Amino acid sequence: TACGRSDCWAVPVSLFNHMSGTRLRPNCITCNAMIDACGKGAQWEAAVRLIAGMLSLAVQASEVTWGAAASAFERAGAWHAALAFFADAPQITGLHSTYCLSAAMGACWKGGKHQQALRLFDLTSDLRLARDEVS
């Protein structure tokens, strides 16, 4: 979490890579903190790589994991990546939460893709998610 507060996203990525060569195994909480640090640095590619590594190690992702990834897309304005991420993984539990979709809408909006943001907003109704002030 200290790396996340200082926008030092490269350290968690390096730590994750180093852990694979040791007896230390990341868990969902440590991975979420690493993904969050990438998000705060607007490093969505690094966040996606961490998720891929996390899943390859059979670490169970949570709604926090997907929210941190969605936040990374939003901060970077990576609307294309946010849309692809949501389209490629419709069956993932927790991915289609109000928070995640709000972050994806934010990425689209920042990228000037207002129609895509509105489509995601409509998806909240299809998925029976609560719309709030953020969305």
Side-chain angles (χ1 to χ4, degrees):
T1 59
C3 291
R5 280 188 227 116
S6 66
D7 292 334
C8 184
W9 63 271
V11 173
V13 172
S14 177
L15 178 63
F16 184 86
N17 293 334
H18 177 73
M19 289 175 83
S20 64
T22 68
R23 294 182 319 160
L24 298 174
R25 292 288 175 240
N27 61 26
C28 184
I29 295 169
T30 57
C31 288
N32 289 347
M34 293 177 194
I35 294 165
D36 186 56
C38 291
K40 289 179 179 170
Q43 299 297 316
W44 68 268
E45 298 101 331
V48 170
R49 282 194 301 275
L50 284 171
I51 291 171
M54 175 182 173
L55 298 177
S56 74
L57 293 173
V59 176
Q60 183 70 35
S62 69
E63 189 171 323
V64 173
T65 308
W66 308 124
S71 181
F73 297 136
E74 181 180 21
R75 287 174 187 256
W79 62 269
H80 58 289
L83 292 177
F85 192 73
F86 280 86
D88 290 345
Q91 73 284 1
I92 295 177
T93 302
L95 179 60
H96 294 117
S97 68
T98 302
Y99 177 79
C100 291
L101 284 171
S102 292
M105 283 184 265
C108 291
W109 199 263
K110 284 181 181 177
K113 301 299 179 183
H114 304 129
Q115 286 299 110
Q116 287 86 343
L118 291 172
R119 282 191 205 117
L120 287 172
F121 184 73
D122 289 341
L123 186 59
T124 60
S125 178
D126 295 344
L127 295 172
R128 295 189 170 108
L129 296 173
R131 293 177 176 172
D132 61 12
E133 309 79 45
V134 176
S135 57

